[in-house]
Amino acid sequence: MTFSKLTLYLVASAAFFTAGTLAQAETIKVGVIATFSGPNAIWGKQFREAIDVYVAQHGDEVGGHKIQFIYKDVGGPNADASKAAAQELLVREGVKYLAGFDFTPNAVAVAPLTKQAKVPAVIFNAGTSSINKQSEFFLRTSFTLAQLAQPAAEWAAKNGSKKVITAVSDYNPGIDAETAFAASFEKNGGTVLEKIRMPLQTNDFAPFLQRIKNSGADTVFTFLPVGPATFAFTKAYNENGLKAAGVSFIGNGETDETTLDALGDQAIGLVTAYHYSDVHESGLNKSFVAKLKELHPGSRANMASVGAYDGAELIYRMIKAAGTDGTKAIEAAKGMEWESPRGPVKMDPVSRTVVQNVYLRRVEKGADGKLVNREFATVPNVPDLGFNP
């Protein structure tokens, strides 16, 4: 080999090596679509802060790639805004993973785009079982309503509830919760007197609660999206004297940590069936909660936080396994299992929703005088009970 040919060979080899190194070390962008403004801005806040915690604990590089999260506000349940945000993230920003999705319509709206672009989309919250049937690129690190409502019904039926009224927000997750709870409660010998569906945008629940109070029911089961509605319903339950009238309360996220103290001592004793409490007893949860308080003083971890934290964990794992190949990433994710601040989780390869523990929780005062959701019973390894392939 002559000197000039050797020189050209070395230059070409160096260029190839440099290009390969740069390609391997490229920044991978993750687009997070959520609500950062308006009355439901708590969702985006909790998502972002939990991702901050995850990155602080695990760094911003994985598999030789630097990870960049890009946030897009859609202002609430808004399918058109969600689709537009996804298009901008995919086309203009070049994201290779999507995430977030606090409301069901916002997730469903991007399903065709995920299939067209072959980009995984990790759902941090939206809990309608059928979402994941809309695209094979959806994965969910939150919960589904059937996953939570059925254990709630079984516990209620075994603990003295005989006649129940269900009261849910009138949209897909609420209907999923109503269906799962009613079927399970009746299967376990109970009677559902009435199924009330309340407008999604209302915060005036007094008329519904008066109806429940006068119905002869001994229990009300409720589901509303976490935020202003859950706070207003639970507050109205207390203020309208249902507890004094002998109507027990069982819900899912209605005693959310972000609004729990504002409910006051009247909330003590309320029971919910849920997949997370910020006082869950584990070393990982304690470190998660402590780092959140360090980075964002005054914030409190809730189900949105743990959905986003585990969503980041899943995305990091997929990037390590498959880089930017969306199809390979989805296949790699199926069956993945890890320890979460909520407890053990596993990605169901069929439903692509995490299998997880569901905890029965009761509101009580913690050692510091603040109200907490104290876990008192565990239903282990619950899959998405509402998913029909």
Side-chain angles (χ1 to χ4, degrees):
M1 182 179 289
T2 65
F3 176 77
S4 59
K5 286 184 178 179
L6 176 62
T7 301
L8 288 171
Y9 173 79
L10 290 173
V11 169
S13 297
F16 176 82
F17 175 80
T18 301
T21 302
L22 288 173
Q24 184 177 356
E26 70 177 320
T27 294
I28 295 179
K29 297 178 181 179
V30 180
V32 181
I33 298 172
T35 303
F36 293 92
S37 62
N40 292 294
I42 186 69
W43 288 106
K45 173 182 179 294
Q46 297 296 98
F47 288 170
R48 189 196 296 262
E49 290 178 357
I51 291 171
D52 289 347
V53 171
Y54 188 87
V55 173
Q57 292 179 331
H58 298 87
D60 64 355
E61 293 187 6
V62 63
H65 302 284
K66 190 173 181 64
I67 312 303
Q68 179 186 359
F69 290 91
I70 301 173
Y71 298 91
K72 287 293 180 183
D73 177 25
V74 293
N78 188 327
D80 290 340
S82 184
K83 183 177 181 180
Q87 288 172 326
E88 181 178 346
L89 287 165
L90 290 166
V91 176
R92 185 177 300 177
E93 299 288 353
V95 304
K96 299 302 181 183
Y97 291 82
L98 290 170
F101 308 110
D102 33 24
F103 294 97
T104 290
N106 299 357
V108 173
V110 308
L113 300 177
T114 65
K115 291 192 286 187
Q116 181 181 351
K118 293 181 168 44
V119 167
V122 180
I123 297 168
F124 292 171
N125 179 65
T128 304
S129 292
S130 62
I131 294 173
N132 283 12
K133 295 172 69 175
Q134 309 302 311
S135 170
E136 65 272 26
F137 288 92
F138 278 140
L139 304 127
R140 180 165 23 213
T141 55
S142 53
F143 63 96
T144 69
L145 273 304
Q147 194 175 36
L148 303 179
Q150 183 169 316
E154 291 171 353
W155 182 87
K158 293 173 183 177
N159 286 272
S161 296
K162 303 296 183 186
K163 296 181 289 184
V164 166
I165 285 184
T166 61
V168 302
S169 291
D170 190 7
Y171 74 135
N172 286 341
I175 295 167
D176 273 8
E178 170 193 277
T179 301
F181 185 93
S184 180
F185 190 69
E186 290 176 339
K187 182 180 178 181
N188 283 275
T191 300
V192 178
L193 298 181
E194 187 179 358
K195 299 174 182 178
I196 297 175
R197 295 180 182 177
M198 304 171 292
L200 181 59
Q201 301 298 338
T202 190
N203 286 329
D204 179 14
F205 298 106
F208 301 107
L209 287 160
Q210 190 61 45
R211 192 160 129 200
I212 294 165
K213 185 178 179 181
N214 296 336
S215 68
D218 55 45
T219 303
V220 56
F221 167 76
T222 187
F223 168 77
L224 306 97
V226 168
T230 50
F231 174 77
F233 184 92
T234 309
K235 187 169 184 288
Y237 166 85
N238 291 327
E239 292 177 348
N240 283 271
L242 273 77
K243 184 187 291 188
V247 182
S248 298
F249 177 105
I250 185 163
N252 293 143
E254 286 65 37
T255 57
D256 185 72
E257 283 77 7
T258 61
T259 56
L260 186 51
D261 281 322
L263 289 172
D265 288 355
Q266 291 183 83
I268 292 174
L270 298 183
V271 173
T272 51
Y274 225 39
H275 58 293
Y276 178 68
S277 165
D278 69 340
V279 292
H280 175 71
E281 288 290 342
S282 77
L284 182 57
N285 186 53
K286 288 177 181 176
S287 66
F288 168 56
V289 169
K291 180 59 74 172
L292 177 65
K293 289 180 178 177
E294 175 191 329
L295 295 180
H296 299 283
S299 289
R300 188 168 176 180
N302 72 344
M303 45 74 70
S305 310
V306 81
Y309 186 90
D310 283 327
E313 171 76 20
L314 179 60
I315 289 167
Y316 272 47
R317 284 170 173 257
M318 287 193 289
I319 290 171
K320 186 176 181 179
T324 59
D325 188 321
T327 301
K328 287 184 179 179
I330 291 292
E331 289 306 309
K334 294 176 179 178
M336 279 184 179
E337 49 189 303
W338 65 93
E339 187 68 21
S340 159
R342 74 187 89 176
V345 296
K346 179 179 180 178
M347 183 57 62
D348 188 313
V350 177
S351 70
R352 285 166 283 113
T353 291
V354 287
V355 178
Q356 60 190 325
N357 295 342
V358 175
Y359 305 99
L360 276 301
R361 317 177 307 170
R362 185 179 288 111
V363 176
E364 63 179 52
K365 276 198 174 180
D368 59 359
K370 290 187 175 181
L371 296 178
V372 299
N373 289 300
R374 186 73 65 193
E375 298 165 359
F376 65 87
T378 302
V379 183
N381 303 321
V382 183
D384 177 5
L385 298 167
F387 188 81
N388 296 307

